[in-house]
Amino acid sequence: VVMLVACLGGAGNGLSSGLAMCVGSDFAVKREEQGSAASKAEYLGPWRTMMDLGQLIGPCLAGQLVTCLSLPAATAACAAIGLL
């Protein structure tokens, strides 16, 4: 079930032209208006970095879990991390 939800979320993000970046852009405008960010780029830079970091760490972590444990154990561990 968790894998299905993750796949649907990923597909939705891909089909929606990057929903996560659209949400980030909305937050950036609000932060700029509130004065907590000097520009949209000041907010979107770290936002995008965190998104890219997750895309880098996820496969590395899954690969290490498969190597050290087993595929079913790695699947369960990744599902548990996803629920956090």
Side-chain angles (χ1 to χ4, degrees):
V1 174
V2 173
M3 185 67 112
L4 178 63
V5 171
C7 288
L8 288 174
N13 187 44
L15 291 173
S16 66
S17 299
L19 180 64
M21 281 305 292
C22 290
V23 170
S25 296
D26 290 342
F27 284 144
V29 170
K30 289 180 183 176
R31 297 294 183 257
E32 187 178 31
E33 290 172 354
Q34 293 171 349
S36 59
S39 68
K40 292 178 210 56
E42 185 177 315
Y43 183 82
L44 286 175
W47 178 272
R48 182 64 193 205
T49 300
M50 294 307 290
M51 287 177 44
D52 290 343
L53 188 62
Q55 290 178 349
L56 172 71
I57 292 174
C60 293
L61 177 64
Q64 285 293 2
L65 289 173
V66 169
T67 301
C68 295
L69 304 173
S70 65
L71 184 57
T75 303
C78 288
I81 291 170
L83 290 175
L84 296 176

